[in-house]
Amino acid sequence: MDFQDTPELADFRQQVRTWLDANATRRTDNGHIGMEGEQANHEAKDWYKKKAEAGFACLTWPKEYGGAGLTSLHEVVWTQEVENFKTRDAQFIIGIGNCGPAILHFANEEAKRELLPRMASAEDVWCQLFSEPNAGSDVAGLRTRAELDGDNWKINGQKIWTSGAQYSDYGVVLTRTDPTISKYRGLTLFMIDMRQSGVEVRPIKQMDGGQHFNEVFFHDAIVPDSFRLGEIGGGWNGALTILMSERLAISGIQPTGFPQFLDLVTTLELNGKPIAEDPIVRDRLAAWYSQWAGLQSTNKRMLTAVAKGGIAGAEASLGKLVGAVMNQEIANFVCQILGPAGVIQDDTISPAHAHFQQTVLFSPGVRLAGGTDEVMRNIIAEQVLGLPQEPRADKGMAFQDIPTSSG
Amino acid sequence: MDFQDTPELADFRQQVRTWLDANATRRTDNGHIGMEGEQANHEAKDWYKKKAEAGFACLTWPKEYGGAGLTSLHEVVWTQEVENFKTRDAQFIIGIGNCGPAILHFANEEAKRELLPRMASAEDVWCQLFSEPNAGSDVAGLRTRAELDGDNWKINGQKIWTSGAQYSDYGVVLTRTDPTISKYRGLTLFMIDMRQSGVEVRPIKQMDGGQHFNEVFFHDAIVPDSFRLGEIGGGWNGALTILMSERLAISGIQPTGFPQFLDLVTTLELNGKPIAEDPIVRDRLAAWYSQWAGLQSTNKRMLTAVAKGGIAGAEASLGKLVGAVMNQEIANFVCQILGPAGVIQDDTISPAHAHFQQTVLFSPGVRLAGGTDEVMRNIIAEQVLGLPQEPRADKGMAFQDIPTSSG
Amino acid sequence: MNFEFSEEQLFIRDQARNFLSQECKLSVVRSVLDSDTSFDRKLWQKVVGLSWTAMAIPESYGGLGLGYLELCVIAEELGRSLAPIPFSSSVYLATEALKSWGNEEQKQNYLPKLAAGELIGTLALSEGLGAPTVAAQVHDGALSGTKLPVPDGDVANFAVVSALGDTGAVGLYLVDLEGTGVERETLSSMDPSRSQARVIFDGAPAQLLGGGVSSADELAQLLDRAAVLLAFEQIGGCQSAMDMGIAYTRERYAFGRPVASFQAIKHKFADMYVALELARSNAYYGACALSSDAPDLPLAAATARVSATDAYYMISKENIQAHGGMGFTWEFDCHLHYRRAQLLSGLIGTQIQWKEHLATRLLKAA
Amino acid sequence: MNFEFSEEQLFIRDQARNFLSQECKLSVVRSVLDSDTSFDRKLWQKVVGLSWTAMAIPESYGGLGLGYLELCVIAEELGRSLAPIPFSSSVYLATEALKSWGNEEQKQNYLPKLAAGELIGTLALSEGLGAPTVAAQVHDGALSGTKLPVPDGDVANFAVVSALGDTGAVGLYLVDLEGTGVERETLSSMDPSRSQARVIFDGAPAQLLGGGVSSADELAQLLDRAAVLLAFEQIGGCQSAMDMGIAYTRERYAFGRPVASFQAIKHKFADMYVALELARSNAYYGACALSSDAPDLPLAAATARVSATDAYYMISKENIQAHGGMGFTWEFDCHLHYRRAQLLSGLIGTQIQWKEHLATRLLKAA
């Protein structure tokens, strides 16, 4: 047990540091970089291209697909180093982190060689299209239909909660190809060209006023059979692979709110007294720090396991569950200690550029995105602890016969 | 809305106060009176007899059955007043509170006139026999058989968690009379003579070392058909009536640990400083007080509803749930603030005669007795909020075909 | 003991509920939330028309002369409907301050107009982050300083303002917010359906309220009364948010059955119910103490406040979760309660401060 | 970065687990719990035979010269098996105190005997309720005062005792508990499977440890190391209690299906798993810091301690609930962990004190 890099990783870290120093700007504060908007997107594309040219894109992918053929530990080193710089490194993480593995697993060699390098350098941007208005926690309850029409498939239906759909060139879409058999067996996965006319993207206005997610409508959108990922009816297994990758991708960037809280505690004075001296603040600080530190170290344990050839399991759900709840509770607590002005959301009045007020309003979405608290607990209970599933109301039924709200 | 007695109740309160002053000893401290043992039982029997002779026993029962024919509000007044005295008023509350209503509802006139007055004066002591080793939360999953044998029923099986079985003369027992039909329909309720040879009582040693509960074994115990309560196969409805009465009975005496905590906070100094000045203590004090006060006032609302002719509903589950959890958390918190000596359970060292250490060890049982936290939440969700039941694995099955651990 | 509102009070409540379900649909709340307006003037005028602003003002000053219990049932319904009007500022705070401490002339000047809704008042205590402190000063009848946040400070006609007087003692002053020496600005907040303002006083004419109200205890009494009334707004909001979640999860299916049939969801609602009922019971006790001006009002008010604030935060937050992704959209109404829960929890001091009040009062009583 | 024990360390852990599953069945724990004995001497001697007491003592003093990581894996297994022996007192506290501060003569006198299990030591700090304070005094080499509770104080051969010296400064002293001027008494506690004592010193011969250990910081270092080791005992207990609950609820049926298939029960176990994994990860970090004597050991130790204490309390408590009524019986083993969780949480200062340490250290580092 130690905190040291292996000589190889130490070498790599030095290489990364040197390159970043030459090609990016060091961060000076804890402030976050806005994630939205066209401008951000352009900046991110430039950055990804630069990374790819220097050989730092998609470090764990094989070189022939635009990656660097390195290990997850190299990726960790990259992540640790890049955090010290102002970059848009995380901009396309959902697309790359989710769609990449799906294509690596299921696409044919030609598609991989053509599409993956362009994904890695963000020449093409990708999105993932799973959730539907009536298929949230029950992802496999989706209704978007894909019907064979000659060599093509015709897609009709609606997706929701698609991050980045508005600037995506391609998507990976999970569809129902057979509603007459059980819901898990009637699903098929495709790549889809998002720029075609049968695809309509409408932003969703979130409760915090932001528009990070979209609805995507398919009206006779066309997908060639060569864009199919895996077998017809094999979509659910593919989707599980992707969802697992998603949780891993998210577990790295899962907001917990703790660093911002610590920063606030060490700097803020209220009524002429540092809040760091307030016993109630200290009590919560200790409780949240012990959780936050536990998450950091859990991540280290997971990476150690991966480095030793193991695979990361459903344990990532733990980070999602704990981090998302902490994030919300911290934000609310801070607004409470600020007194009557805690409700004010104003850059010039609210500490940390109103970060905590924004988080109060955004954090419910973090608890929902990528699976609710309840879904996380189910995954831990069933997949990690091996507890028995609940009796299933829809077990053995043809999809079309399963009771639904509208039916 | 007001805190005043009606003139009638004010009158009654005066009457009670006068009688108690003449017949009981005022309490001088917050200390509790030991609940166990033969001596306690004798004292309690004397006290109940005295009460009954003065017309203060079972205030809400009709006079012809040994009661006073008064309202629940009179009962509340009695409870409020008697709390100021050292009495064993609560000793037989489970027997009387649970079995009494069952007999009032389901027994024939003769049995009521014979049995109830003796119950009210504690000449006869009663216990309730529902739970079984394999039927806890799932009370209706019980296996104790009752088989008709001429004019008598023969009882075989095992009950568990029976309070006071060792000193009971009679019991109310829920049995299975038909295992070939659905579990809820095959149950029948009986009164049973606990002093007969086919009944064996064995105390259960609890995790805290106490022995408040018992196992009761029936080997061909005999019950005349005249002791049947309600119809054959109608036992479940009767049991529900009793369980509801139980929760109400418990809701009055449900320990919360709060008064003892408040007492401690106002009196204890640690390291030369009153703990009342410790901000962490004050924070928890405020949180628990607001819950405790909420329970007190919820009780008042329930009584107001009852006084206006309504019936108390499953809301009593709320008090059980909140009080039992608070009781455990308070006890643990106190042991933590006491420092390394918090683990010591010694009358001469631990404050409040080691009340909090005893409570750490006893409180898990309080959370379990009368229904687990989960059962309480189910009751609130289904019976109060009307949320749909879960799909039932045992629905429509004959009892004997339902999967069990041992089968 | 009688722990329920009277028939007459329940009648007022039902009337209020019917009225608000017609006149204050959530679209009304949204129109304030979505726009630059700070409150719904039409709704305000209708509410004035129903004499709710006059309810607890003595008849001699143009009011109805009813008690606080009537105000409690109204408050519950305002909370349930998320009414976007400056009722709490004007009625629970400004009106009450005048009733308590105004001299005869001030009462004559203000109360009839407050009753008739011709004036909207508010109370200005805070001067930025943290617990309210007083740096604003009155010299020779002119007030200077900045108050922030002032609830409804951008729409109120006048404010009762805490400031240091010529002697250096804290007092409360009546200040015309539409007069000279006053600049005000609406602030962004987590709940734009109820406004908050920065008010800058620069030599604004200020009139001492009554003979001078200086003791912290006296001010605390005003806030205690408001705490009980706000607790009713909060429990009204709790009930509405919980009902919303129950209705939605009963209708929505997942895995072939209603979401509301899953034990984790059922237990979530059970926990909401528990929080709400405890808060409601504490609010009722607070109402009792308020209406009888009982000696334990300070403790009862803090208790009502603490549990209502906890309950509204928890219920409005978990209601979003019970809705799943749709609960996070602007389109769904869940966030309206979540925002209001934040607003109400800040209004007269936050949870941490009230918990400390509660502990202090409890230990004093014990 | 490598965040796992080495093959050799894991081998030691597996050996320890196998040994304890044979030699320290819960019947062994119960025999101490149910009787007047304070520990299981037979088990202690076997543990000594395996050289666990010698593990982290340098070879020059008769030890094996292994590191703290080896001690961590042993601690986890001792916690898992609820071993009723004075290991933590003698090894984590007394031995460590001598290693840190003993002069050469003291080390030569004590360490070989501690390694060989011929002496059992303990550390005596507390003098009653509250955070430890020092009133005991040493005058002319004679100690007087009362220490309470002293873990394993009734069975230890000697104690390292905090006391005021002739100069009035706090120091640590070596005191023979079997010698003159010492009276000791076993105290009832929530976990009779590990003993606690009152030790009354009345002129007992006392020898200053090393050149004198007076600073609170030095003492804190000792407790920090013990905190990491105890965290491993706690997570071992957590795992065992959780496994117990999972096994039982999978087997037990209600409403025609395994209790473990109900969502409320599954989510309870998920929450236990979360608490345990966070605690385990923090303990691993603590082990890293301990073994490399890293500058963030104080923070890492407090973190490991706080989350392990939380986790063990929560898991041992909810394990009882998951068992239903049977979990409340003496016969079932659930209470053994619940009791041990209380004992371990008290040993070197309670949760409230460690949370305060954590906050102080974190803010110092930030």
Side-chain angles (χ1 to χ4, degrees):
Chain A
M1 272 203 186
D2 57 64
F3 300 132
Q4 309 303 315
D5 287 333
T6 58
E8 188 203 340
L9 284 177
D11 217 48
F12 180 71
R13 189 184 296 276
Q14 195 45 57
Q15 223 179 305
V16 169
R17 225 174 255 180
T18 308
W19 186 81
L20 285 171
D21 269 328
N23 292 279
T25 315
R26 275 200 178 266
R27 225 183 247 278
T28 49
D29 65 1
N30 218 342
H32 66 125
I33 300 166
M35 289 282 282
E36 323 273 334
E38 272 304 304
Q39 177 60 21
N41 222 31
H42 281 300
E43 284 176 24
K45 284 196 145 201
D46 290 346
W47 173 246
Y48 273 71
K49 197 173 169 207
K50 211 173 186 179
K51 276 205 298 182
E53 282 165 359
F56 291 120
C58 296
L59 294 173
T60 62
W61 293 7
K63 285 188 177 173
E64 59 269 36
Y65 305 140
L70 296 171
T71 70
S72 328
L73 291 182
H74 291 86
E75 187 127 320
V76 173
V77 168
W78 171 269
T79 307
Q80 288 170 343
E81 294 301 319
V82 85
E83 264 176 8
N84 302 319
F85 292 81
K86 282 190 202 159
T87 73
R88 298 205 170 268
D89 210 64
Q91 188 84 358
F92 302 127
I93 199 161
I94 302 269
I96 292 177
N98 294 6
C99 302
I103 294 169
L104 276 168
H105 271 85
F106 300 109
N108 59 40
E109 189 57 29
E110 194 192 326
K112 288 194 216 180
R113 287 188 183 266
E114 187 190 331
L115 296 169
L116 287 174
R118 278 158 44 196
M119 182 192 282
S121 63
E123 191 178 334
D124 293 343
V125 175
W126 286 68
C127 64
Q128 173 204 296
L129 303 133
F130 283 12
S131 294
E132 297 189 6
N134 283 298
S137 294
D138 181 12
V139 177
L142 59 85
R143 299 181 193 177
T144 292
R145 283 301 308 275
E147 285 160 302
L148 198 54
D149 182 16
D151 279 348
N152 290 330
W153 294 81
K154 242 175 32 195
I155 317 280
N156 281 287
Q158 181 193 351
K159 294 289 175 181
I160 197 168
W161 303 117
T162 316
S163 298
Q166 71 274 40
Y167 49 76
S168 287
D169 305 290
Y170 294 96
V172 168
V173 60
L174 187 61
T175 65
R176 182 161 307 282
T177 41
D178 187 350
T180 67
I181 55 177
S182 102
K183 69 179 183 181
Y184 294 107
R185 290 189 297 128
L187 301 174
T188 306
L189 209 54
F190 296 96
M191 299 184 285
I192 189 169
D193 179 349
M194 293 290 287
R195 304 299 191 190
Q196 64 181 297
S197 62
V199 177
E200 187 194 344
V201 175
R202 285 187 213 156
I204 301 170
K205 188 170 177 190
Q206 297 145 210
M207 59 168 271
D208 67 323
Q211 298 196 348
H212 181 71
F213 303 100
N214 301 276
E215 291 178 294
V216 178
F217 297 84
F218 300 107
H219 312 282
D220 288 337
I222 300 298
V223 170
D225 190 53
S226 63
F227 264 37
R228 175 157 51 76
L229 290 171
E231 299 302 309
I232 297 173
W236 184 241
N237 279 338
L240 287 182
T241 308
I242 296 178
L243 289 174
M244 190 73 82
S245 311
E246 177 176 25
R247 283 192 205 107
L248 279 177
I250 288 180
S251 85
I253 57 166
Q254 174 71 41
T256 62
F258 185 80
Q260 293 84 356
F261 179 58
L262 179 58
D263 201 46
L264 186 84
V265 173
T266 54
T267 54
L268 186 67
E269 293 197 359
L270 288 177
N271 300 110
K273 210 175 150 181
I275 64 169
E277 292 173 11
D278 179 340
I280 305 295
V281 171
R282 297 169 76 87
D283 177 63
R284 305 297 190 276
L285 182 73
W288 282 317
Y289 177 77
S290 71
Q291 285 198 320
W292 180 80
L295 291 180
Q296 304 308 108
S297 294
T298 299
N299 218 27
K300 290 195 178 72
R301 285 173 56 212
M302 194 163 71
L303 291 168
T304 299
V306 169
K308 296 193 171 172
I311 54 161
E315 289 86 349
S317 304
L318 182 160
K320 163 75 175 72
L321 176 61
V322 175
V325 170
M326 191 192 317
N327 186 48
Q328 185 170 34
E329 296 310 319
I330 286 177
N332 179 62
F333 179 72
V334 169
C335 293
Q336 295 296 315
I337 59 176
L338 295 178
V343 75
I344 303 303
Q345 185 172 3
D346 183 312
D347 263 13
T348 66
I349 296 169
S350 318
H353 307 288
H355 164 83
F356 297 98
Q357 286 78 15
Q358 283 165 27
T359 301
V360 165
L361 295 175
F362 187 71
S363 58
V366 177
R367 281 178 65 196
L368 292 161
T372 62
D373 297 354
E374 287 73 27
V375 167
M376 294 302 119
R377 289 197 180 93
N378 277 348
I379 290 172
I380 292 170
E382 291 175 11
Q383 294 175 36
V384 183
L385 301 178
L387 299 181
Q389 293 202 333
E390 287 201 281
R392 288 265 309 284
D394 54 1
K395 189 158 189 174
M397 295 176 90
F399 175 74
Q400 60 200 6
D401 300 329
I402 295 173
T404 64
S405 24
S406 50
Chain B
M1 273 203 185
D2 58 64
F3 301 132
Q4 309 303 314
D5 287 334
T6 59
E8 188 203 340
L9 284 176
D11 216 48
F12 179 70
R13 190 183 296 277
Q14 197 45 58
Q15 223 178 305
V16 169
R17 224 173 257 180
T18 309
W19 187 80
L20 284 171
D21 269 328
N23 292 279
T25 314
R26 273 200 179 266
R27 227 185 246 277
T28 48
D29 66 2
N30 218 343
H32 66 123
I33 300 166
M35 288 283 282
E36 324 273 334
E38 272 303 305
Q39 176 62 19
N41 222 32
H42 280 299
E43 284 177 22
K45 284 196 145 199
D46 290 346
W47 172 247
Y48 273 70
K49 196 175 170 205
K50 209 172 187 180
K51 275 206 296 182
E53 281 165 0
F56 291 121
C58 296
L59 294 172
T60 62
W61 292 9
K63 286 190 176 170
E64 59 269 37
Y65 306 139
L70 296 170
T71 71
S72 332
L73 291 182
H74 291 85
E75 188 126 321
V76 173
V77 168
W78 172 269
T79 307
Q80 290 170 342
E81 294 299 321
V82 86
E83 264 174 8
N84 303 319
F85 292 81
K86 284 190 202 160
T87 73
R88 299 206 168 267
D89 209 63
Q91 188 85 357
F92 302 127
I93 201 162
I94 302 269
I96 292 177
N98 294 7
C99 302
I103 296 168
L104 276 167
H105 272 84
F106 301 107
N108 59 40
E109 190 58 28
E110 194 191 326
K112 289 194 218 179
R113 287 187 185 265
E114 187 190 329
L115 296 169
L116 287 173
R118 276 158 43 194
M119 181 191 284
S121 62
E123 192 179 335
D124 293 342
V125 175
W126 286 66
C127 62
Q128 174 204 297
L129 303 133
F130 283 12
S131 294
E132 297 188 6
N134 283 297
S137 295
D138 180 14
V139 177
L142 60 88
R143 300 181 193 175
T144 292
R145 284 299 310 275
E147 285 161 302
L148 197 54
D149 181 19
D151 278 348
N152 290 330
W153 294 82
K154 240 173 33 195
I155 317 280
N156 282 287
Q158 181 193 352
K159 295 289 175 179
I160 197 169
W161 303 118
T162 315
S163 299
Q166 71 275 38
Y167 48 76
S168 287
D169 304 290
Y170 295 95
V172 169
V173 60
L174 187 60
T175 65
R176 183 160 308 280
T177 40
D178 188 350
T180 67
I181 56 176
S182 101
K183 68 179 182 181
Y184 295 107
R185 290 189 297 126
L187 301 173
T188 305
L189 208 55
F190 296 95
M191 301 184 283
I192 189 170
D193 179 348
M194 293 289 286
R195 303 298 190 191
Q196 64 181 295
S197 62
V199 176
E200 187 195 344
V201 175
R202 286 188 214 156
I204 300 170
K205 188 171 177 189
Q206 297 145 210
M207 59 169 270
D208 68 322
Q211 299 196 347
H212 182 69
F213 303 101
N214 303 275
E215 292 179 293
V216 178
F217 297 84
F218 299 107
H219 314 280
D220 289 337
I222 300 297
V223 170
D225 191 54
S226 63
F227 265 36
R228 174 158 50 77
L229 290 170
E231 297 302 307
I232 296 173
W236 184 241
N237 279 338
L240 288 181
T241 309
I242 296 178
L243 288 173
M244 190 75 81
S245 311
E246 176 176 24
R247 283 191 204 106
L248 280 177
I250 288 181
S251 86
I253 57 164
Q254 175 70 42
T256 63
F258 186 79
Q260 293 83 355
F261 179 58
L262 179 58
D263 201 45
L264 186 83
V265 172
T266 54
T267 54
L268 186 67
E269 294 196 359
L270 287 178
N271 299 110
K273 212 175 148 181
I275 63 169
E277 291 173 12
D278 178 342
I280 305 295
V281 171
R282 295 169 77 87
D283 178 64
R284 307 297 191 275
L285 181 73
W288 281 317
Y289 177 77
S290 71
Q291 286 198 320
W292 180 80
L295 291 180
Q296 305 307 107
S297 293
T298 299
N299 218 29
K300 290 196 179 69
R301 285 173 55 214
M302 195 163 71
L303 291 168
T304 299
V306 169
K308 294 192 172 172
I311 53 160
E315 289 88 349
S317 303
L318 182 159
K320 164 74 175 73
L321 176 59
V322 175
V325 170
M326 190 192 314
N327 185 50
Q328 186 171 32
E329 296 310 319
I330 286 177
N332 179 62
F333 178 72
V334 169
C335 293
Q336 295 295 316
I337 58 177
L338 295 179
V343 74
I344 304 302
Q345 186 171 0
D346 182 312
D347 262 16
T348 67
I349 297 170
S350 319
H353 307 287
H355 165 82
F356 297 98
Q357 285 78 15
Q358 282 165 28
T359 301
V360 165
L361 296 174
F362 188 71
S363 57
V366 177
R367 281 178 66 196
L368 292 160
T372 63
D373 297 356
E374 287 73 27
V375 167
M376 294 302 118
R377 290 197 179 92
N378 277 349
I379 290 172
I380 291 170
E382 292 175 10
Q383 294 176 35
V384 183
L385 301 177
L387 299 181
Q389 293 202 332
E390 288 200 280
R392 288 264 309 285
D394 55 1
K395 191 160 188 172
M397 296 175 90
F399 174 74
Q400 60 200 8
D401 299 330
I402 295 173
T404 63
S405 25
S406 52
Chain C
M1 185 201 68
N2 176 7
F3 224 61
E4 180 52 283
F5 290 103
S6 69
E7 293 301 320
E8 295 73 23
Q9 290 150 1
L10 292 175
F11 180 78
I12 293 175
R13 178 170 76 183
D14 290 346
Q15 294 288 96
R17 188 176 303 179
N18 287 338
F19 165 77
L20 289 166
S21 69
Q22 292 298 319
E23 303 294 337
C24 184
K25 294 188 201 307
L26 290 178
S27 56
V28 171
V29 184
R30 283 182 171 275
S31 74
V32 174
L33 185 73
D34 284 335
S35 71
D36 283 343
T37 44
S38 292
F39 74 114
D40 192 293
R41 195 171 291 274
K42 251 170 65 190
L43 179 62
W44 175 253
Q45 273 151 1
K46 285 180 197 156
V47 158
V48 167
L50 292 171
S51 298
W52 292 358
T53 47
M55 190 98 42
I57 294 177
E59 288 172 272
S60 48
Y61 300 109
L64 297 188
L66 294 172
Y68 289 113
L69 292 177
E70 288 74 16
L71 214 45
C72 287
V73 298
I74 298 284
E76 182 173 350
E77 299 311 314
L78 291 169
R80 181 192 304 268
S81 65
L82 293 161
I85 51 175
F87 197 82
S88 57
S89 300
S90 197
V91 177
Y92 313 158
L93 297 172
T95 300
E96 288 299 314
L98 277 151
K99 278 169 61 185
S100 299
W101 302 305
N103 58 34
E104 191 53 32
E105 192 190 338
Q106 290 166 337
K107 287 183 182 175
Q108 292 287 0
N109 282 346
Y110 283 90
L111 289 176
K113 289 182 185 157
L114 282 163
E118 290 163 23
L119 282 182
I120 293 170
T122 188
L123 179 69
L125 301 179
S126 284
E127 300 186 1
L129 301 178
T133 46
V134 185
Q137 298 202 338
V138 173
H139 280 307
D140 296 334
L143 169 67
S144 293
T146 298
K147 289 285 172 180
L148 174 171
V150 182
D152 304 300
D154 52 345
V155 300
N157 307 101
F158 76 97
V160 175
V161 183
S162 61
L164 303 167
D166 289 309
T167 65
V170 175
L172 291 179
Y173 293 84
L174 283 162
V175 184
D176 181 357
L177 295 182
E178 295 163 322
T180 57
V182 178
E183 250 184 83
R184 45 193 181 158
E185 175 199 357
T186 308
L187 294 170
S188 296
S189 91
M190 289 192 278
D191 183 12
S193 73
R194 289 292 313 278
S195 78
Q196 299 273 356
R198 182 200 325 258
V199 184
I200 302 171
F201 301 98
D202 184 11
Q207 192 189 128
L208 191 61
L209 183 61
V213 183
S214 56
S215 89
D217 273 3
E218 281 179 297
L219 186 60
Q221 283 166 25
L222 177 69
L223 299 182
D224 286 346
R225 289 203 293 273
V228 173
L229 293 161
L230 287 170
F232 276 90
E233 290 204 5
Q234 290 168 311
I235 63 170
C238 286
Q239 184 76 57
S240 172
M242 185 173 84
D243 289 350
M244 187 188 284
I246 288 175
Y248 184 73
T249 53
R250 288 176 68 97
E251 280 304 308
R252 186 173 167 90
Y253 276 59
F255 303 98
R257 57 176 170 126
V259 168
S261 73
F262 286 89
Q263 209 174 28
I265 299 297
K266 290 163 78 166
H267 288 192
K268 192 191 280 294
F269 283 115
D271 288 339
M272 290 188 197
Y273 171 82
V274 167
L276 169 55
E277 286 306 294
L278 293 180
R280 185 187 298 282
S281 298
N282 283 329
Y284 275 38
Y285 192 94
C288 258
L290 175 61
S291 72
S292 61
D293 201 15
D296 62 348
L297 175 61
L299 177 57
T303 308
R305 171 85 179 155
V306 165
S307 65
T309 298
D310 266 350
Y312 201 14
Y313 172 61
M314 188 274 255
I315 292 171
S316 63
K317 170 170 70 87
E318 295 306 318
N319 177 46
I320 297 172
Q321 297 300 313
H323 274 71
M326 298 312 295
F328 185 56
T329 62
W330 187 268
E331 179 193 352
F332 270 50
D333 294 319
C334 307
H335 65 112
L336 303 183
H337 281 291
Y338 185 64
R339 290 171 181 278
R340 184 59 60 87
Q342 289 290 338
L343 180 106
L344 293 179
S345 86
L347 268 192
I348 50 167
T350 59
Q351 189 68 339
I352 293 174
Q353 294 151 6
W354 279 98
K355 280 174 90 174
E356 178 49 34
H357 290 333
L358 194 165
T360 304
R361 293 163 184 189
L362 176 59
L363 290 169
K364 207 168 150 191
Chain D
M1 184 203 68
N2 176 7
F3 224 60
E4 179 53 282
F5 290 102
S6 69
E7 293 300 320
E8 293 73 22
Q9 289 150 2
L10 292 175
F11 179 76
I12 293 175
R13 179 169 75 184
D14 290 347
Q15 294 290 95
R17 189 175 305 178
N18 286 339
F19 166 76
L20 289 165
S21 69
Q22 292 300 317
E23 303 294 337
C24 184
K25 295 191 200 308
L26 291 179
S27 56
V28 172
V29 184
R30 283 181 172 276
S31 74
V32 174
L33 185 73
D34 283 334
S35 71
D36 283 342
T37 45
S38 291
F39 74 114
D40 191 294
R41 196 171 290 272
K42 250 170 67 190
L43 178 62
W44 175 252
Q45 274 153 358
K46 286 180 197 157
V47 159
V48 166
L50 292 170
S51 297
W52 292 358
T53 46
M55 191 98 41
I57 293 178
E59 289 173 89
S60 48
Y61 300 109
L64 297 188
L66 295 171
Y68 288 113
L69 293 176
E70 287 73 17
L71 214 44
C72 286
V73 297
I74 296 284
E76 182 174 349
E77 298 311 314
L78 290 170
R80 182 193 302 270
S81 65
L82 293 161
I85 50 176
F87 197 83
S88 57
S89 299
S90 196
V91 177
Y92 315 158
L93 297 171
T95 300
E96 288 299 313
L98 275 150
K99 277 169 61 185
S100 300
W101 303 305
N103 58 33
E104 191 52 32
E105 192 193 335
Q106 289 167 337
K107 285 184 183 175
Q108 292 288 1
N109 281 346
Y110 283 90
L111 289 177
K113 289 182 186 158
L114 282 164
E118 289 162 23
L119 283 183
I120 294 170
T122 187
L123 179 70
L125 301 178
S126 284
E127 301 185 0
L129 300 178
T133 46
V134 185
Q137 298 201 340
V138 173
H139 280 307
D140 296 333
L143 169 67
S144 294
T146 298
K147 291 285 172 179
L148 174 168
V150 181
D152 303 301
D154 51 345
V155 300
N157 306 100
F158 76 96
V160 175
V161 183
S162 62
L164 302 168
D166 288 311
T167 66
V170 174
L172 290 180
Y173 294 83
L174 283 162
V175 185
D176 181 357
L177 295 182
E178 296 165 321
T180 57
V182 179
E183 248 183 84
R184 44 194 182 157
E185 174 197 0
T186 308
L187 294 169
S188 297
S189 92
M190 289 193 278
D191 182 11
S193 73
R194 289 291 313 279
S195 78
Q196 300 273 354
R198 183 202 324 257
V199 184
I200 303 170
F201 301 99
D202 185 10
Q207 187 189 132
L208 190 63
L209 185 60
V213 184
S214 58
S215 89
D217 274 4
E218 282 180 295
L219 185 59
Q221 284 166 26
L222 177 70
L223 298 183
D224 286 346
R225 291 203 293 273
V228 174
L229 294 162
L230 286 171
F232 276 89
E233 289 204 6
Q234 288 168 313
I235 62 169
C238 286
Q239 184 75 56
S240 172
M242 185 173 84
D243 290 349
M244 188 188 286
I246 288 175
Y248 184 74
T249 54
R250 289 176 68 96
E251 280 303 308
R252 188 176 165 88
Y253 277 60
F255 302 100
R257 57 176 170 126
V259 167
S261 74
F262 285 89
Q263 210 174 28
I265 298 297
K266 290 163 77 165
H267 288 192
K268 191 192 282 291
F269 283 114
D271 288 339
M272 289 189 201
Y273 172 81
V274 166
L276 170 54
E277 287 305 296
L278 295 179
R280 185 188 298 283
S281 298
N282 284 328
Y284 275 38
Y285 192 94
C288 260
L290 175 62
S291 72
S292 60
D293 201 14
D296 63 347
L297 175 61
L299 178 57
T303 308
R305 171 85 179 154
V306 165
S307 63
T309 298
D310 267 350
Y312 201 15
Y313 172 61
M314 189 275 255
I315 292 171
S316 64
K317 168 171 72 89
E318 294 308 317
N319 175 48
I320 298 172
Q321 297 300 311
H323 274 71
M326 297 313 295
F328 184 55
T329 61
W330 187 269
E331 178 192 351
F332 270 51
D333 296 319
C334 308
H335 65 112
L336 303 183
H337 282 292
Y338 185 65
R339 291 171 182 277
R340 183 60 60 88
Q342 289 290 337
L343 179 107
L344 293 180
S345 87
L347 267 193
I348 51 167
T350 60
Q351 189 69 337
I352 293 175
Q353 294 152 6
W354 280 98
K355 280 175 90 174
E356 178 51 33
H357 291 333
L358 194 166
T360 303
R361 294 163 183 190
L362 176 60
L363 291 168
K364 206 170 151 189

